[in-house]
């Protein structure tokens, strides 16, 4: 197998990839933060009818239908719900929704808005950026060398 040298192009590509992936992670953190703030500060609580319950382990969700304060009927999936007591089809459950986007920003009213996801993504992005920086700086000093 032919050994390859570390090139300036590969180091630049590694740096750009690190910045790009970190940017995507941080955009996700900002979106999660905006959702949590919208639910915390402007969330409205209503009774919703449980249409379907989908049990898929960590990917479980409940399809609900409710009417917003402005009279719009919304049918959406609630992924952020408590299972004690577990929702049952045909019964009602209280949901909290953000008036700005009731389809995407909805959760079980017994839950508090999720800021843990924000922290995980923000710290994960910072760790990724730090790791990528270490790799790029280390590789930059080896441009033109053949790795062992």
């Amino acid at each position: 197998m032919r050994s390859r040298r570390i090139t300036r192009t590969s180091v630049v590509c590694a740096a750009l990839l690190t910045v790009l992936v970190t940017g995507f992670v941080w955009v996700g953190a900002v979106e999660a933060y905006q959702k949590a703030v919208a639910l915390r500060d402007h969330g409205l609580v209503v009774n919703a009818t449980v249409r379907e319950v989908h049990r898929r382990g960590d990917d479980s969700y409940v399809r609900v239908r409710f009417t917003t304060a402005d009279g719009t009927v919304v049918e959406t999936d609630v992924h952020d719900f408590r299972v004690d007591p577990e929702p049952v089809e045909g019964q009602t459950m209280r949901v909290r929704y953000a008036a700005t986007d009731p389809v995407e920003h909805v959760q079980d009213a017994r839950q508090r808005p999720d800021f843990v996801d924000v922290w995980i993504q923000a710290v994960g992005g910072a760790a990724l950026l730090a790791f990528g920086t270490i790799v790029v700086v280390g590789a930059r000093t080896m441009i033109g060398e053949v790795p062992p």
Side-chain angles (χ1 to χ4, degrees), residues 93-106:
M93 69 182 275
R94 297 186 51 80
V95 296
R96 177 180 293 112
Y97 71 92
T100 55
D101 190 0
V103 174
E104 294 296 323
H105 297 164
V106 63

Side-chain angles (χ1 to χ4, degrees), residues 6 10 15 21 28 36 39 71 74 78 82 84 88 91 94 101 105 109 123-125 136-137 141 145-146:
I6 295 175
S10 62
V21 173
L39 288 169
V74 174
V78 178
R82 289 184 56 185
D84 185 26
V88 177
Q91 291 185 344
R94 297 186 51 80
D101 190 0
H105 297 164
V123 171
V136 168
V137 169
T141 62
E145 294 182 19
V146 178

Side-chain angles (χ1 to χ4, degrees), residues 69-86:
D70 65 2
T72 305
V73 176
V74 174
E75 186 164 323
T76 188
D77 298 334
V78 178
H79 293 272
D80 193 9
F81 69 95
R82 289 184 56 185
V83 293
D84 185 26
E86 186 168 308

Side-chain angles (χ1 to χ4, degrees), residues 30-67:
V30 168
E31 289 174 356
Y33 176 77
Q34 290 172 337
K35 177 180 179 180
V37 167
L39 288 169
R40 181 192 67 196
D41 295 346
H42 307 291
L44 302 170
V45 178
V46 296
N47 286 325
T49 303
V50 177
R51 309 279 286 180
E52 302 169 15
V53 178
H54 296 271
R55 294 169 190 85
R56 296 182 180 167
D58 289 343
D59 199 26
S60 296
Y61 66 94
V62 178
R63 175 153 297 164
V64 297
R65 184 179 189 150
F66 62 91
T67 304

